[in-house]
Amino acid sequence: MNMPMYVPPEQLVKDRAEFAMKGIGRGRPIAAIQYDNGVLLFGENPSATLHKIGEIYDRIAFAAVGRFNEFESLRVAGVRYADVKGYNYGRTDVTARGLANGYAQTLGQIFIHEVKPYEVAVVIVEVGDSADEDVMYRVQFDGTLIDIQSFTALGGSEEALVEALTESYQAGATLADAISRTAAAIVTVEESAVAPERWEAAVLDRTLGRRRFRRLDTQEIVAAIGE
Amino acid sequence: MTHDRQMASNALPVLGSHLDTSFLSLLNEHGMTPSWALSGNPDVSTVPEATTILAVRYAGGVVMAGDRRATAGNVIAHTKLKKVYQADKFSAVAISGTAGMAVEMVKLFQTELEHYEKIEGMRLSLEGKANYLARMVRGNLTLAFQGLVIVPLFCGYDEHDETGRLFTFDVVGGRYEEDDYAATGSGGTEARSFLKSVYQTGASEETAMKWAVEALVAAAEEDAATGGPDVRRGIFPTVAVVDSGGFREIDDDALGPLASEILENRP
């Protein structure tokens, strides 16, 4: 009987993490950032139809970087989970916490058990009735779940972007202000200008009714950056 | 799928049948589809029934309205039942027939439309929504012949054709597009003949709304199962408008004076 070659767990995890991080780092970054009336999800996306940002449920949105087919299947799984849960129980029973936990389990399992780990990083945002009820989670490729405050960045030169956002972030900024600050931070960190139609943006707006997710079109983004 | 079996119980399965965008088949997969079954021929006359609903097309869209009464045999079961619902941003659905089942059907229909929209990144066409509702009605065929009937009305603003459209259904899931107006439920005949006597194409939203409320008043005068506006208790019909701006429900502050005016001027 052939014995599989022994690989120490430290080595296995390290190799897989390096592989996943390399894939994620290649992607264009996405930021999630609080503004006065909700949370802005903003980033660069060369495609106008293959979105990195999506609606999950009434108050919950999803944004991801990495391989499209992988995070798209996560997004769809999230929508399916949320709709089934909300239909069987109540709409307020669908929470970002439950969803983020599900993603953490899924990504954790895939990281260890599949042939290759998913090359994705995901952020789950839930908007509350006031700013201090807003919730944000980050789920890493290996299933690590991180609770975040105010803002975060995924993909590209992630750490540099978080640093730039730390400098430019202002609590209670208007949407237009948040957009222009975030865009400026991304442009500075990535060291390249971004054509207006390559921005992808959406908000969870607490002033909207039941469904609080809204995509912004290029015109609105350009107007905000221009201000 | 071995992959799914490996997953911890609260992990989200990512390798399911992702090409199927239907929420109903998702519920089926989980064995959670709402279902009712009767054996033999039990007496269903004590199950609450939703009564009169109608829709009127006007220049910019469609007005949909329903009275608030539910009856169980000769008993008034509810006086504030809501029969007109938002289906999605550009459509509305109203229900007549077995109230409990119909309300559940609406909830399923709403979830289905939203689910599709989120997964696909775009809304179903108005035609597609009407067809889907017809399929849901058809699924209830056996119970319909045992006395638990659901007959909805569906209307919406067609984003593609830029016009209001309305659809009626029969118990077997037949789907019919109507040009001007439609009414169903126990007071439907009366409401329809009222609408026939006043209807003119190209009416304003205001006029269409007035016709809709007056048709319900007319139905309530002839049909015991239809509840007219109750000004003293502040119970007014549910009235909704779907136009190029989407769905909106008319609130009681606007309906109160309209209902009072109509009641005063009735012959």
Side-chain angles (χ1 to χ4, degrees):
Chain A
M1 192 178 140
N2 282 334
M3 291 291 284
M5 194 167 62
Y6 176 75
V7 182
E10 294 90 343
Q11 188 62 41
L12 179 100
V13 169
K14 192 165 156 272
D15 288 354
R16 288 178 165 246
E18 264 171 23
F19 169 81
M21 281 193 287
K22 209 156 69 185
I24 296 161
R26 271 197 297 268
R28 293 290 177 173
I30 284 268
I33 191 157
Q34 262 184 320
Y35 69 98
D36 58 356
N37 285 331
V39 180
L40 166 71
L41 295 161
F42 191 89
E44 196 188 341
N45 187 349
S47 169
T49 47
L50 304 174
H51 299 300
K52 291 177 170 182
I53 303 168
E55 176 186 14
I56 297 282
Y57 210 60
D58 297 351
R59 296 154 170 245
I60 304 172
F62 167 103
V65 294
R67 288 181 82 92
F68 180 80
N69 68 318
E70 292 176 351
F71 66 68
E72 175 69 3
S73 74
L74 289 171
R75 182 188 74 84
V76 170
V79 171
R80 288 159 69 99
Y81 158 85
D83 280 346
V84 169
K85 192 165 180 195
Y87 178 80
N88 281 332
Y89 301 103
R91 299 200 76 92
T92 51
D93 298 318
V94 181
T95 61
R97 200 185 62 86
L99 183 69
N101 259 312
Y103 281 140
Q105 294 296 332
T106 305
L107 285 170
Q109 299 268 358
I110 290 171
F111 182 73
I112 297 297
H113 297 294
E114 293 296 309
V115 177
K116 84 166 197 57
Y118 272 18
E119 297 155 74
V120 294
V122 175
V123 63
I124 305 298
V125 180
E126 179 178 344
V127 75
D129 292 325
S130 66
D132 42 317
E133 288 171 53
D134 292 350
V135 175
M136 285 192 235
Y137 295 104
R138 229 189 119 114
V139 192
Q140 310 281 61
F141 55 87
D142 59 352
T144 308
L145 183 57
I146 306 161
D147 184 355
I148 43 183
Q149 307 293 325
S150 308
F151 58 86
T152 192
L154 308 173
S157 321
E158 206 170 276
E159 278 165 33
L161 184 53
V162 169
E163 231 167 79
L165 288 173
T166 311
E167 264 171 45
S168 73
Y169 174 75
Q170 213 169 31
T174 61
L175 177 57
D177 196 20
I179 291 173
S180 70
R181 281 166 194 272
T182 312
I186 292 176
V187 169
T188 312
V189 170
E190 297 290 305
E191 294 174 343
S192 67
V194 178
E197 64 279 2
R198 285 172 66 104
W199 290 121
E200 181 182 352
V203 288
L204 281 173
D205 181 343
R206 72 179 106 258
T207 65
L208 296 180
R210 177 171 72 75
R211 283 174 79 178
R212 297 180 172 182
F213 181 85
R214 182 171 74 87
R215 256 178 221 294
L216 311 185
D217 57 22
T218 304
Q219 215 180 346
E220 198 173 347
I221 298 167
V222 170
I225 294 176
E227 266 172 35
Chain B
M1 232 164 280
T2 55
H3 180 83
D4 285 349
R5 227 177 296 132
Q6 276 176 13
M7 291 281 179
S9 62
N10 58 341
L12 309 182
V14 288
L15 298 179
S17 47
H18 277 177
L19 287 177
D20 193 347
T21 46
S22 165
F23 179 69
L24 192 59
S25 11
L26 180 58
L27 283 184
N28 273 330
E29 265 174 46
H30 293 270
M32 292 170 173
T33 318
S35 66
W36 294 265
L38 295 178
S39 55
N41 266 321
D43 177 17
V44 293
S45 66
T46 54
V47 181
E49 278 192 60
T51 49
T52 314
I53 48 171
L54 59 88
V56 183
R57 192 160 165 243
Y58 68 96
V62 189
V63 169
M64 190 170 241
D67 75 314
R68 304 292 292 275
R69 182 169 291 178
T71 53
N74 64 336
V75 175
I76 295 174
H78 299 282
T79 54
K80 281 183 163 181
L81 181 72
K82 187 173 146 82
K83 301 176 193 174
V84 178
Y85 295 87
Q86 174 168 17
D88 71 349
K89 183 156 194 244
F90 288 103
S91 63
V93 59
I95 47 160
S96 69
T98 311
M101 286 161 54
V103 168
E104 192 64 30
M105 182 187 276
V106 167
K107 189 179 158 195
L108 194 53
F109 183 54
Q110 289 166 325
T111 311
E112 184 70 53
L113 298 188
E114 188 184 316
H115 188 74
Y116 182 95
E117 185 185 335
K118 287 188 290 195
I119 302 276
E120 295 286 316
M122 62 175 84
R123 275 184 283 278
L124 268 170
S125 64
L126 196 68
E127 195 90 19
K129 295 174 208 174
N131 286 339
Y132 190 82
L133 187 58
R135 208 174 104 192
M136 294 179 80
V137 174
R138 191 157 62 236
N140 193 52
L141 186 63
T142 318
L143 287 170
F145 284 102
Q146 288 173 310
L148 300 176
V149 178
I150 307 173
V151 179
L153 263 184
F154 177 68
C155 74
Y157 184 80
D158 193 319
E159 293 170 84
H160 184 258
D161 294 347
E162 297 181 348
T163 178
R165 294 171 71 184
L166 61 113
F167 299 87
T168 57
F169 301 84
D170 62 25
V171 286
V172 297
R175 192 215 77 174
Y176 314 94
E177 180 158 9
E178 307 289 338
D179 286 335
D180 309 320
Y181 56 84
T184 183
S186 62
T189 319
E190 197 57 36
R192 221 162 26 238
S193 48
F194 173 83
L195 290 171
K196 190 177 180 182
S197 68
V198 295
Y199 191 81
Q200 282 171 336
T201 40
S204 69
E205 180 191 314
E206 216 182 357
T207 310
M209 206 185 301
K210 204 174 152 207
W211 288 342
V213 177
E214 192 162 359
L216 289 174
V217 172
E221 286 168 357
E222 301 294 328
D223 172 36
T226 305
D230 190 335
V231 178
R232 197 171 65 80
R233 294 192 180 83
I235 301 171
F236 302 110
T238 316
V239 181
V241 176
V242 191
D243 60 15
S244 58
F247 173 97
R248 65 179 194 282
E249 201 171 314
I250 307 302
D251 62 19
D252 285 355
D253 296 345
L255 284 173
L258 178 63
S260 305
E261 186 200 320
I262 288 168
L263 287 173
E264 257 165 52
N265 295 330
R266 280 297 291 171

